[in-house]
Amino acid sequence: MTDEILLGVDAGGTFTDFVCLELQPSPRLRVHKTLSNPVNPEQAILDGIAALGLDQLPESTRLHIIHGSTVATNAVLEGKLAKTALLCNQGLTDVLSLARQTRPELYSLEFSPRPPPVPESLCLPVAGRIAADGQETEALADEDIARLVDQLRDKDVSAVAINLLFSFLDDSHEQRLAAAIRAGCPDLFVSASSSVLPVYKEYERGIATWLNASLGPVVHGYLSRLQSRLGRALLQVMQSNAETMSAGSAAELAVNLLLSGPAGGLTALQFLGQQIGCKRFLSFDMGGTSTDVALIDGAISITTEGRIDRFPVAVPMVDMHTIGAGGGSIAYVDGGGMLQVGPRSAGADPGPACYGRGGSDATVTDANLILGRLLPTARLAGELQLDLQAARRAMAPLADRTGLSVEEVAQGIVEIANEHMARAIRFISVNRGFDPQDFLLASFGGAGALHVCAIAELMQMPEAIVPVHGGLLSALGMLAASQGRQFTRTVNYRLKSADESQLIAWFRELQADAESQLEAEGLRPEQLKAQWRAEMRYCGQSYSLNVPFENLAGAVESFRALHEQRYGYCLSSDTEIVNLRVNVHAERQDFDLPQIETQQGNEIEPLRVYGCDAAVTVRERQSLAVDESLSGPLIITEYAATTYVAPGWRVYIDAIGNLRLQRHGT
């Protein structure tokens, strides 16, 4: 019998995190953290595997890696995409350039023009046409296909995106083009909209298809290099919708990886919630470059209205709001003399000034070190040691410009970053009709626990939690994720005269497609579970709401209740189902986190923390006993993070190692 070791890997912009789960003879977790390598991201993963001693496993043990990566995200944000041609119907080659014609800056009379996603010279017209009823009104001739293939040979492109009108109703034209291009230009990565996102709205569908095509060679190359160096290890990749897929499928559907890493954090939080009996969380994941905030109300919310940079991404992804406020966010004084923080980041190289790697800009991490909330003697991943004097040197120019002390500027930086994060949390909670006090605030990421008490106070939330392994929570979430697929079909079906049996037939077709793909990845039919959902709206509306579908009457009731919660009203007018969505998944291998064992901690001298009258006690997290209650101010250190328990708060540790925070008087 083959033993299996599970390894969750979250390759972030600053650090790459590892959580290793050994199931035999009893569950055991090990963690590791190393600096990311932006130039050669797979090398950081190989280094971590070696550090954990997983590169020399016996033949009887199989390593199963579940990987969340920022390779796709960084390629979009940095513009490092493959040169891609776009094939559209005649007269519609400028669809991606025209976009939705919304102003990038609402109150700016003049703004710099933005280059189109695909240059005009690479937008090629396609003869043939499918009409809005799915009927062919103009045939696509073989000679037209041959002409396009010849044109592509002369364009020196690496990928091709095919986005034809109404291909979600009849994909025959797209599939004929794709097959001919693959045969005539075998080196090109080909992406057809009917395979990537078969829904209406040609602009959003086109952007998703173009992103998939232009990311394909980048992601395919990365995953191929990684898999070849991993040998016989099994590699799966986290999708943006918090489910995993095989590395081979991920290379073909790269657009589904844009929130790969952050999705793991929400999966871990939902998993932890099951163990502590909590279903409602407001979370903020504060890493080195950015902060991701999300709301979990029983289940992870999935949206098709996400964005990356200036582009809509209509593929299913976790409903998350991202801001440029991380530990590496750079502080500066603007032209009006105001102190600002982010969104520009020091990144992994050179990183904050206190990392001693050549960074000269003051960051949030530098501010926390100057305030005394980080231990100057702390050692970070990659054997980094914090340099307090370098942080103070970086902060000094800001102090000079503002006329404040270095400590006052550092305090201002932290407060500004806190307000940025609180505003983002309000956006995904209060703005959507939720009361934050009905939720538990969860902080994770390497920098989040330094800010958790302040964020809770800004949100008037009396309790918070810093999860066990909070500094590596996204990597833990990789282990808790299910393997699955989500399929979509546009129907635009009015419910006044709806035939429920027709809807059920469509759902079953989508479910059969998803099941066949998962079975091709080695899953057995009896492992698979399906969930049906419908995107609904009142007739005449532009935006839809996603509700569960068990039967038509229940879906309508759920839609009206959600519309009332989200917008404050519901109508008696006719509704329609815009899209059907089917999720088919296989449950993860079940495991429980082991209960903690209190260990002897090192004695650490109390720290002088700015704003506190007396020196602040420092404890190692491993030295805290279960249910031991301590009052702030207090600093709790651990391998991958530091928690600052502010005055007026108390903390205790539960049986599996979560830090539970409560305001005094609650």
Side-chain angles (χ1 to χ4, degrees):
M1 181 177 179
T2 301
D3 292 332
E4 186 174 57
I5 294 178
L6 302 179
L7 180 65
V9 181
D10 175 32
T14 306
F15 292 105
T16 296
D17 301 336
F18 302 81
V19 174
C20 178
L21 174 63
E22 299 175 31
L23 298 169
Q24 300 296 333
S26 60
R28 181 169 78 106
L29 275 179
R30 291 188 293 147
V31 299
H32 182 67
K33 201 176 186 80
T34 189
L35 280 172
S36 296
N37 187 332
V39 177
N40 189 11
E42 63 269 23
Q43 188 59 49
I45 296 173
L46 297 169
D47 291 344
I49 289 173
L52 287 165
L54 302 176
D55 54 340
Q56 302 293 332
L57 292 176
E59 289 290 329
S60 60
T61 302
R62 183 177 67 168
L63 180 62
H64 183 176
I65 299 172
I66 306 97
H67 176 28
S69 173
T70 58
V71 168
T73 309
N74 291 342
V76 176
L77 296 178
E78 297 170 9
K80 296 179 179 179
L81 301 170
K83 187 178 180 181
T84 302
L86 175 67
L87 306 188
C88 296
N89 293 100
Q90 286 182 343
L92 293 168
T93 54
D94 55 358
V95 164
L96 300 194
S97 300
L98 292 173
R100 288 293 174 192
Q101 301 189 53
T102 52
R103 300 171 67 89
E105 300 172 34
L106 185 60
Y107 298 108
S108 178
L109 298 179
E110 296 181 3
F111 41 83
S112 301
R114 293 179 172 179
V118 182
E120 184 179 356
S121 61
L122 296 181
C123 297
L124 307 180
V126 177
R129 183 68 64 93
I130 302 295
D133 59 0
Q135 300 300 310
E136 183 182 71
T137 59
E138 181 183 349
L140 177 59
D142 291 339
E143 54 267 27
D144 291 326
I145 296 177
R147 174 182 53 80
L148 284 167
V149 172
D150 289 339
Q151 286 181 284
L152 289 171
R153 291 195 186 100
D154 297 332
K155 292 294 183 181
D156 188 31
V157 295
S158 301
V160 180
I162 307 171
N163 185 42
L164 303 184
L165 279 180
F166 304 110
S167 59
F168 57 89
L169 298 176
D170 181 350
D171 66 352
S172 58
H173 286 194
E174 283 197 351
Q175 296 305 323
R176 284 177 60 198
L177 280 168
I181 294 168
R182 291 187 180 107
C185 306
D187 293 335
L188 294 186
F189 185 92
V190 182
S191 183
S193 72
S194 52
S195 299
V196 175
L197 188 67
V199 298
Y200 85 123
K201 293 186 177 179
E202 61 270 20
Y203 170 63
E204 285 78 5
R205 175 161 46 91
I207 287 291
T209 308
W210 163 70
L211 282 172
N212 195 69
S214 57
L215 287 168
V218 178
V219 172
H220 185 274
Y222 166 69
L223 291 177
S224 296
R225 293 192 304 272
L226 179 59
Q227 183 69 79
S228 66
R229 300 184 68 179
L230 289 174
R232 61 189 182 89
L234 176 64
L235 177 63
Q236 287 188 297
V237 182
M238 177 67 88
Q239 303 175 75
S240 299
N241 70 343
E243 293 177 328
T244 69
M245 64 167 67
S246 68
S249 298
E252 296 298 319
L253 294 171
V255 72
N256 290 325
L257 309 183
L258 290 170
L259 286 184
S260 175
L266 297 187
T267 304
L269 194 57
Q270 186 176 38
F271 168 67
L272 286 172
Q274 294 168 357
Q275 302 207 358
I276 65 173
C278 181
K279 295 183 177 181
R280 309 186 87 191
F281 294 96
L282 282 172
S283 73
F284 72 101
D285 175 5
M286 187 179 183
T289 305
S290 62
T291 295
D292 303 308
V293 300
L295 181 147
I296 296 179
D297 188 12
I300 297 172
S301 298
I302 303 297
T303 182
T304 55
E305 297 176 6
R307 300 186 70 86
I308 182 166
D309 197 19
R310 60 190 174 102
F311 304 115
V313 183
V315 298
M317 59 176 55
V318 292
D319 191 1
M320 181 177 287
H321 185 55
T322 302
I323 60 171
S329 293
I330 293 172
Y332 63 97
V333 177
D334 64 18
M338 297 291 290
L339 185 64
Q340 304 283 358
V341 178
R344 193 164 64 93
S345 172
D349 188 13
C354 62
Y355 284 7
R357 294 166 56 89
S360 58
D361 294 310
T363 68
V364 176
T365 297
D366 295 307
N368 277 310
L369 180 61
I370 289 169
L371 293 175
R373 300 177 184 185
L374 280 173
L375 271 69
T377 56
R379 288 189 177 273
L380 307 181
E383 297 303 314
L384 286 178
Q385 187 165 3
L386 297 176
D387 185 340
L388 176 58
Q389 295 309 312
R392 295 186 69 89
R393 285 194 299 271
M395 200 70 66
L398 300 181
D400 291 341
R401 288 201 61 184
T402 57
L404 302 172
S405 69
V406 166
E407 289 78 10
E408 287 171 331
V409 172
Q411 181 69 32
I413 290 171
V414 169
E415 291 180 0
I416 292 170
N418 289 342
E419 185 53 49
H420 285 335
M421 289 183 280
R423 186 187 308 157
I425 294 172
R426 293 186 196 103
F427 178 80
I428 56 99
S429 59
V430 178
N431 286 18
R432 298 181 181 181
F434 294 100
D435 184 349
Q437 295 190 26
D438 295 335
F439 294 79
L440 180 63
L441 181 66
S443 159
F444 51 97
L450 287 165
H451 301 258
V452 62
C453 293
I455 300 297
E457 289 179 3
L458 288 170
M459 297 303 302
Q460 300 181 14
M461 300 174 70
E463 297 186 9
I465 184 172
V466 179
V468 61
H469 305 305
L472 310 98
L473 199 68
S474 289
L476 176 62
M478 308 296 167
L479 306 180
S482 302
Q483 185 175 350
R485 287 285 186 284
Q486 188 165 122
F487 274 56
T488 306
R489 177 172 181 170
T490 291
V491 294
N492 287 331
Y493 201 55
R494 291 203 172 199
L495 301 189
K496 184 173 289 185
S497 56
D499 180 357
E500 187 167 355
S501 63
Q502 177 63 71
L503 287 169
I504 291 173
W506 286 332
F507 272 119
R508 286 176 175 165
E509 287 177 16
L510 287 175
Q511 182 174 330
D513 287 342
E515 289 173 344
S516 66
Q517 289 203 18
L518 288 171
E519 289 170 22
E521 292 186 10
L523 294 175
R524 300 186 307 275
E526 62 269 19
Q527 293 179 275
L528 304 180
K529 297 181 179 180
Q531 295 174 335
W532 295 358
R533 299 187 70 88
E535 289 186 6
M536 300 180 65
R537 67 186 181 190
Y538 290 115
C539 295
Q541 287 183 327
S542 297
Y543 293 94
S544 56
L545 296 175
N546 192 320
V547 298
F549 186 99
E550 294 182 1
N551 54 64
L552 190 55
V556 172
E557 183 178 346
S558 296
F559 166 73
R560 289 174 60 84
L562 183 56
H563 200 282
E564 175 79 36
Q565 180 194 58
R566 183 71 57 85
Y567 302 113
Y569 70 95
C570 59
L571 303 174
S572 59
S573 56
D574 192 16
T575 56
E576 64 180 339
I577 293 180
V578 182
N579 295 319
L580 308 180
R581 296 193 179 275
V582 171
N583 173 258
V584 176
H585 65 278
E587 296 289 346
R588 58 172 168 78
Q589 186 168 357
D590 195 30
F591 68 93
D592 292 324
L593 291 176
Q595 294 197 352
I596 63 168
E597 296 180 5
T598 304
Q599 302 176 27
Q600 182 67 39
N602 297 315
E603 285 194 16
I604 304 174
E605 288 189 15
L607 280 180
R608 298 298 306 185
V609 176
Y610 182 76
C612 297
D613 295 332
V616 173
T617 301
V618 182
R619 292 282 301 272
E620 291 184 336
R621 189 164 181 167
Q622 65 185 21
S623 72
L624 297 177
V626 174
D627 292 334
E628 180 182 2
S629 181
L630 299 166
S631 294
L634 174 71
I635 293 173
I636 301 173
T637 67
E638 58 183 303
Y639 169 67
T642 298
T643 301
Y644 175 59
V645 183
W649 286 79
R650 64 174 179 267
V651 61
Y652 71 93
I653 192 166
D654 66 19
I656 60 175
N658 300 305
L659 293 179
R660 310 297 293 268
L661 294 152
Q662 294 179 329
R663 294 182 70 176
H664 284 303
T666 61

